[in-house]
Amino acid sequence: MEGQLDHVDEAFSLHQLRHLQLTHYRVNELGDIQTETPVHGGLTDFGAEVVRRCNTLGIVDVAHGTYDLVKRAASVTTKPLVLSHTALAGHPGARSRVITADHARAVAETGGVIGVWPSSGSFRDLDGMAHGFRRMADVVGVEHVGLGTDLLGFISPPVFRSYEQLPALGTALLAAGFSQAETGQILGGNYRRVFEASVI
């Protein structure tokens, strides 16, 4: 962004950007990340301006952002937030990429979606991942849960490695107690709802 709000508009018009993740693996001018010591106390004032600008253009993704960043983004946004890839943990360790129930609820309360991430550090296989979806749905409701593949973002192989595994994941979700309709929501319907609310 280089401190310039009009760069959001440039990304939209020149590169067709419709889904912007505020932070990644370094603290930046928009806010703090989960895996480093906080510098800004969450979302910065400029970050809040970017959220407001994105609300007129597309989706705001708070993946990698600290809980404080997510809480402020949730207080600023007028559209549903997305936390594209993570998992639920009762007691995340310091600088962990997984989140607490309160962190998840902050996203869900905007009408947003939390993508469950297939990290082998969180799940041993697709059945374990399906139970991770179940735990997330028990906290925020199935309408706020999605598939957060992050397929090109892994150093070690994840438990979901290819979209060819979607039928197997669907079967695992059904076995974990989700209905056919709920499985459809998780595997794309919920994100589509947020996309339509934010972009169309």
mmCIF file of all heavy atoms in Angstrom, residues 93-111:
data_model
loop_
_atom_site.group_PDB
_atom_site.id
_atom_site.type_symbol
_atom_site.label_atom_id
_atom_site.label_comp_id
_atom_site.label_asym_id
_atom_site.label_seq_id
_atom_site.Cartn_x
_atom_site.Cartn_y
_atom_site.Cartn_z
ATOM 1 N N GLY A 93 -0.652 -21.687 21.364
ATOM 2 C CA GLY A 93 0.630 -21.268 21.903
ATOM 3 C C GLY A 93 0.977 -19.861 21.453
ATOM 4 O O GLY A 93 0.324 -19.283 20.576
ATOM 5 N N ALA A 94 1.990 -19.311 22.075
ATOM 6 C CA ALA A 94 2.459 -17.977 21.690
ATOM 7 C C ALA A 94 2.868 -17.993 20.219
ATOM 8 O O ALA A 94 3.526 -18.918 19.753
ATOM 9 C CB ALA A 94 3.636 -17.570 22.564
ATOM 10 N N ARG A 95 2.446 -16.991 19.496
ATOM 11 C CA ARG A 95 2.780 -16.800 18.072
ATOM 12 C C ARG A 95 2.236 -17.914 17.194
ATOM 13 O O ARG A 95 2.810 -18.260 16.171
ATOM 14 C CB ARG A 95 4.292 -16.650 17.877
ATOM 15 C CG ARG A 95 4.939 -15.637 18.800
ATOM 16 C CD ARG A 95 4.469 -14.222 18.501
ATOM 17 N NE ARG A 95 4.931 -13.328 19.544
ATOM 18 C CZ ARG A 95 4.127 -12.755 20.450
ATOM 19 N NH1 ARG A 95 2.823 -12.985 20.428
ATOM 20 N NH2 ARG A 95 4.608 -11.947 21.359
ATOM 21 N N SER A 96 1.098 -18.489 17.577
ATOM 22 C CA SER A 96 0.485 -19.571 16.815
ATOM 23 C C SER A 96 -0.422 -19.028 15.728
ATOM 24 O O SER A 96 -1.020 -17.963 15.871
ATOM 25 C CB SER A 96 -0.334 -20.444 17.771
ATOM 26 O OG SER A 96 -1.055 -21.415 17.054
ATOM 27 N N ARG A 97 -0.564 -19.792 14.641
ATOM 28 C CA ARG A 97 -1.468 -19.420 13.556
ATOM 29 C C ARG A 97 -2.900 -19.905 13.785
ATOM 30 O O ARG A 97 -3.792 -19.573 13.025
ATOM 31 C CB ARG A 97 -0.940 -19.991 12.225
ATOM 32 C CG ARG A 97 0.096 -19.116 11.565
ATOM 33 C CD ARG A 97 -0.529 -17.925 10.828
ATOM 34 N NE ARG A 97 -1.350 -18.395 9.730
ATOM 35 C CZ ARG A 97 -2.666 -18.276 9.660
ATOM 36 N NH1 ARG A 97 -3.357 -17.722 10.628
ATOM 37 N NH2 ARG A 97 -3.316 -18.736 8.608
ATOM 38 N N VAL A 98 -3.119 -20.735 14.793
ATOM 39 C CA VAL A 98 -4.474 -21.169 15.092
ATOM 40 C C VAL A 98 -5.136 -20.144 16.008
ATOM 41 O O VAL A 98 -4.481 -19.247 16.537
ATOM 42 C CB VAL A 98 -4.498 -22.586 15.700
ATOM 43 C CG1 VAL A 98 -4.001 -23.603 14.674
ATOM 44 C CG2 VAL A 98 -3.676 -22.668 16.980
ATOM 45 N N ILE A 99 -6.465 -20.257 16.181
ATOM 46 C CA ILE A 99 -7.204 -19.206 16.863
ATOM 47 C C ILE A 99 -8.077 -19.756 17.991
ATOM 48 O O ILE A 99 -8.389 -20.929 18.038
ATOM 49 C CB ILE A 99 -8.083 -18.402 15.878
ATOM 50 C CG1 ILE A 99 -9.152 -19.301 15.225
ATOM 51 C CG2 ILE A 99 -7.221 -17.712 14.825
ATOM 52 C CD1 ILE A 99 -10.182 -18.550 14.404
ATOM 53 N N THR A 100 -8.485 -18.843 18.869
ATOM 54 C CA THR A 100 -9.406 -19.176 19.946
ATOM 55 C C THR A 100 -10.854 -19.055 19.449
ATOM 56 O O THR A 100 -11.122 -18.492 18.379
ATOM 57 C CB THR A 100 -9.235 -18.199 21.119
ATOM 58 O OG1 THR A 100 -9.585 -16.872 20.672
ATOM 59 C CG2 THR A 100 -7.812 -18.211 21.658
ATOM 60 N N ALA A 101 -11.774 -19.529 20.282
ATOM 61 C CA ALA A 101 -13.197 -19.402 19.966
ATOM 62 C C ALA A 101 -13.600 -17.934 19.857
ATOM 63 O O ALA A 101 -14.374 -17.558 18.964
ATOM 64 C CB ALA A 101 -14.022 -20.115 21.029
ATOM 65 N N ASP A 102 -13.102 -17.074 20.736
ATOM 66 C CA ASP A 102 -13.457 -15.646 20.677
ATOM 67 C C ASP A 102 -12.974 -15.004 19.384
ATOM 68 O O ASP A 102 -13.667 -14.166 18.797
ATOM 69 C CB ASP A 102 -12.879 -14.899 21.882
ATOM 70 C CG ASP A 102 -13.627 -15.180 23.170
ATOM 71 O OD1 ASP A 102 -14.790 -15.653 23.097
ATOM 72 O OD2 ASP A 102 -13.064 -14.933 24.251
ATOM 73 N N HIS A 103 -11.783 -15.389 18.948
ATOM 74 C CA HIS A 103 -11.235 -14.893 17.682
ATOM 75 C C HIS A 103 -12.166 -15.282 16.529
ATOM 76 O O HIS A 103 -12.504 -14.452 15.675
ATOM 77 C CB HIS A 103 -9.848 -15.505 17.517
ATOM 78 C CG HIS A 103 -8.970 -14.896 16.489
ATOM 79 N ND1 HIS A 103 -7.623 -14.703 16.678
ATOM 80 C CD2 HIS A 103 -9.213 -14.465 15.228
ATOM 81 C CE1 HIS A 103 -7.080 -14.176 15.598
ATOM 82 N NE2 HIS A 103 -8.027 -14.022 14.694
ATOM 83 N N ALA A 104 -12.594 -16.542 16.532
ATOM 84 C CA ALA A 104 -13.512 -17.013 15.491
ATOM 85 C C ALA A 104 -14.847 -16.275 15.554
ATOM 86 O O ALA A 104 -15.404 -15.877 14.516
ATOM 87 C CB ALA A 104 -13.736 -18.519 15.640
ATOM 88 N N ARG A 105 -15.359 -16.079 16.747
ATOM 89 C CA ARG A 105 -16.649 -15.389 16.891
ATOM 90 C C ARG A 105 -16.586 -13.951 16.380
ATOM 91 O O ARG A 105 -17.571 -13.436 15.842
ATOM 92 C CB ARG A 105 -17.090 -15.398 18.355
ATOM 93 C CG ARG A 105 -17.538 -16.758 18.854
ATOM 94 C CD ARG A 105 -18.104 -16.671 20.267
ATOM 95 N NE ARG A 105 -18.253 -17.987 20.842
ATOM 96 C CZ ARG A 105 -17.430 -18.499 21.771
ATOM 97 N NH1 ARG A 105 -16.417 -17.778 22.237
ATOM 98 N NH2 ARG A 105 -17.635 -19.716 22.231
ATOM 99 N N ALA A 106 -15.451 -13.291 16.542
ATOM 100 C CA ALA A 106 -15.322 -11.911 16.062
ATOM 101 C C ALA A 106 -15.534 -11.835 14.559
ATOM 102 O O ALA A 106 -16.124 -10.874 14.050
ATOM 103 C CB ALA A 106 -13.952 -11.345 16.447
ATOM 104 N N VAL A 107 -15.061 -12.847 13.830
ATOM 105 C CA VAL A 107 -15.277 -12.908 12.376
ATOM 106 C C VAL A 107 -16.729 -13.259 12.077
ATOM 107 O O VAL A 107 -17.391 -12.612 11.255
ATOM 108 C CB VAL A 107 -14.314 -13.918 11.729
ATOM 109 C CG1 VAL A 107 -14.619 -14.072 10.236
ATOM 110 C CG2 VAL A 107 -12.868 -13.494 11.937
ATOM 111 N N ALA A 108 -17.237 -14.267 12.750
ATOM 112 C CA ALA A 108 -18.607 -14.744 12.491
ATOM 113 C C ALA A 108 -19.635 -13.658 12.764
ATOM 114 O O ALA A 108 -20.646 -13.558 12.057
ATOM 115 C CB ALA A 108 -18.896 -15.971 13.339
ATOM 116 N N GLU A 109 -19.398 -12.827 13.771
ATOM 117 C CA GLU A 109 -20.371 -11.790 14.118
ATOM 118 C C GLU A 109 -20.512 -10.713 13.045
ATOM 119 O O GLU A 109 -21.483 -9.954 13.049
ATOM 120 C CB GLU A 109 -20.008 -11.174 15.472
ATOM 121 C CG GLU A 109 -20.319 -12.117 16.634
ATOM 122 C CD GLU A 109 -19.719 -11.692 17.957
ATOM 123 O OE1 GLU A 109 -19.089 -10.607 18.026
ATOM 124 O OE2 GLU A 109 -19.864 -12.460 18.934
ATOM 125 N N THR A 110 -19.579 -10.665 12.090
ATOM 126 C CA THR A 110 -19.725 -9.761 10.945
ATOM 127 C C THR A 110 -20.525 -10.413 9.823
ATOM 128 O O THR A 110 -20.751 -9.795 8.786
ATOM 129 C CB THR A 110 -18.346 -9.346 10.374
ATOM 130 O OG1 THR A 110 -17.729 -10.478 9.730
ATOM 131 C CG2 THR A 110 -17.440 -8.786 11.455
ATOM 132 N N GLY A 111 -20.930 -11.678 10.021
ATOM 133 C CA GLY A 111 -21.560 -12.458 8.962
ATOM 134 C C GLY A 111 -20.545 -13.216 8.132
ATOM 135 O O GLY A 111 -20.888 -13.812 7.105
#
